[in-house]
Amino acid sequence: MKRKWFMIACALYPLVLLAACGGGSTGDGAEDLFVTIATGGQSGVYYPIGGALSKLYEEELGATSSVQATGASVENINLIDQGRAELAIIMGDAATQAFEGIEPFQHKVDSFSAVASLYPNFVQVVTTVDSGIEKMEDLKGKHVGVGAPNSGVELNARAVLEAYGLSYDDFNADYLSYSEAIDGMKNGTVDAAFVTSGLPNSTVTDLSTAQEVNVIPIEGEAMEKLKEMHPYYVENVIPAGTYTNKEDIPTASIMNILVASNELDEDTVFTLTKTLFDNIEVIHSSHNAAADITKDSAKDSVPIPFHPGAEKYFNEAGIE
C-alpha cells in the first residue's frame, strides 16, 4: 500500500500552516511531514540538489526528510509509483516514456506530476585524447559505458546512437554508472562513456585532472534526427573551459524536472513548491548546475501535467 501522509493544518488551516513554515514547525496538531526525495548516484548532480532540498524542508517545515541515492530517472519514477518516495528528480524523456507506457516501462505510469522545471542535463560522450576516438562512429569496436540499465543515461545513449545509425551491436556496451565508467577509463578497461548530467560533472572533472578529456560533439544531421524523433531534446553547447576543452562543444540537452507523487494533496505540494522558490539560494549553493533553477523558468520544457499544488503556486506567483 502506498504511503499516505498529510498535514492536518495544511488541510484545515492553510494560512496557519504557511505562517508556521518559517519557524521549523508544521503547526499545532499537525501530523509529521515525511518526505523521501529520490535522486541519483552520489557522484552526480541530482544527489546534492536533493540533499539541499531535503535539508531545506527539515529546517523550514520541520519535516522528517531523507534523500535516496538511486539509479536516477526510471528507478525514481518506479519508486514514486510504488509509494516509496514522495518527490523525485527525473529527466523529461523518462517522464514522457512513463506517461506513454513505452520502453523501458511495461505500461503507462502516470502516478506523478510535475512540480518544477529545474536545469538542463547535457549529453556528454566522454573519452580521452589518447583513445583516438574523435567522432561517434569511432565508438565501433570499443568498450563504452552506457549507464546503469534503464537509467536516464542509458535512455539517452540509445536515442543518440539511433540518431547516428548505431546500436549496442557496434561496440561492447558496459552497463555502468558514469562514476564506474570513468573509473574504468582511468584504469584502461573502458574507452568512452555516456555521461548525462549538469555541468560540470564531478567525475569528468576528476578524470580531466589526470588525462586530457575529449567530449564527442553531437551535431549536424544526427542532431536534427534526434530532435525529430524525440522533441524533448534541444541543441546546446558545453562551454569552453568546462573541462579541458578550449572551444564550445555542440551537444544535446534535456530538461530535468522535480516531480511529486499524486498521493500528495494540493496544499502540501503548494507549500513544498513555495518553500523551494522562497529559499532558492540554498538550492543554488548545492551545485554549479543548480544556478539555472529559477522561478521564472520553472514551467519551461515540461512535457507532463503539473501537480495542482504547483499550479496553484505558479498562478499566485504570476508565472505562466
Side-chain angles (χ1 to χ4, degrees):
M1 179 180 294
K2 294 185 177 180
R3 181 179 357 161
K4 295 184 178 179
W5 57 271
F6 61 96
M7 295 161 46
I8 295 175
C10 189
L12 301 178
Y13 308 104
L15 295 179
V16 174
L17 171 65
L18 292 176
C21 284
S25 170
T26 55
D28 293 338
E31 297 265 340
D32 285 339
L33 174 61
F34 295 95
V35 184
T36 296
I37 305 172
T39 59
Q42 294 185 11
S43 62
V45 181
Y46 285 8
Y47 190 81
I49 290 177
L53 191 59
S54 177
K55 185 177 180 180
L56 179 64
Y57 289 149
E58 288 182 339
E59 294 180 348
E60 294 296 319
L61 302 179
T64 299
S65 183
S66 64
V67 56
Q68 185 170 344
T70 70
S73 296
V74 177
E75 182 179 349
N76 291 352
I77 290 171
N78 288 329
L79 286 171
I80 283 188
D81 192 53
Q82 296 160 9
R84 296 166 59 193
E86 283 71 48
L87 298 177
I89 303 174
I90 66 173
M91 285 194 287
D93 56 347
T96 299
Q97 288 155 340
F99 267 65
E100 294 179 355
I102 59 178
E103 290 188 355
F105 299 95
Q106 303 303 312
H107 54 82
K108 291 184 179 181
V109 181
D110 57 3
S111 53
F112 63 97
S113 304
V115 173
S117 176
L118 297 179
Y119 65 94
N121 259 359
F122 292 75
V123 182
Q124 303 162 73
V125 186
V126 180
T127 185
T128 63
V129 171
D130 291 342
S131 73
I133 299 171
E134 297 181 352
K135 56 185 184 298
M136 292 293 294
E137 290 78 7
D138 293 338
L139 295 177
K140 292 181 179 179
K142 303 293 186 178
H143 284 271
V144 182
V146 296
N150 290 330
S151 65
V153 176
E154 203 224 333
L155 297 181
N156 300 153
R158 289 182 183 274
V160 170
L161 290 167
E162 183 182 3
Y164 274 92
L166 299 171
S167 72
Y168 290 176
D169 293 335
D170 292 307
F171 53 76
N172 298 296
D174 295 322
Y175 293 88
L176 305 170
S177 68
Y178 44 68
S179 60
E180 294 170 334
I182 295 298
D183 284 342
M185 292 173 66
K186 290 178 181 178
N187 62 38
T189 60
V190 175
D191 300 302
F194 281 83
V195 176
T196 303
S197 76
L199 298 176
N201 179 276
S202 60
T203 61
V204 180
T205 299
D206 182 53
L207 177 65
S208 70
T209 63
Q211 302 182 55
E212 189 173 356
V213 166
N214 188 23
V215 181
I216 308 303
I218 300 172
E219 58 186 343
E221 292 183 7
M223 183 71 240
E224 294 303 316
K225 184 175 181 180
L226 180 64
K227 292 190 298 180
E228 181 181 343
M229 293 188 303
H230 308 290
Y232 35 75
Y233 285 97
V234 299
E235 294 182 59
N236 217 320
V237 296
I238 299 170
T242 300
Y243 303 115
T244 54
N245 55 307
K246 296 179 181 179
E247 298 180 353
D248 292 350
I249 302 169
T251 192
S253 70
I254 188 167
M255 191 61 72
N256 292 296
I257 308 167
L258 179 66
V259 298
S261 168
N262 289 340
E263 292 290 310
L264 304 186
D265 63 65
E266 179 178 319
D267 288 326
T268 298
V269 175
F270 172 88
T271 301
L272 294 174
T273 308
K274 185 177 189 301
T275 302
L276 163 62
F277 287 109
D278 282 355
N279 300 274
I280 194 62
E281 69 282 352
V282 174
I283 308 303
H284 287 168
S285 67
S286 67
H287 193 280
N288 288 346
D292 289 331
I293 303 174
T294 68
K295 182 166 64 175
D296 290 341
S297 63
K299 298 190 74 174
D300 293 352
S301 302
V302 175
I304 61 173
F306 280 89
H307 192 287
E311 284 282 17
K312 178 182 177 182
Y313 170 76
F314 292 127
N315 288 339
E316 292 192 7
I319 304 299
E320 298 181 357

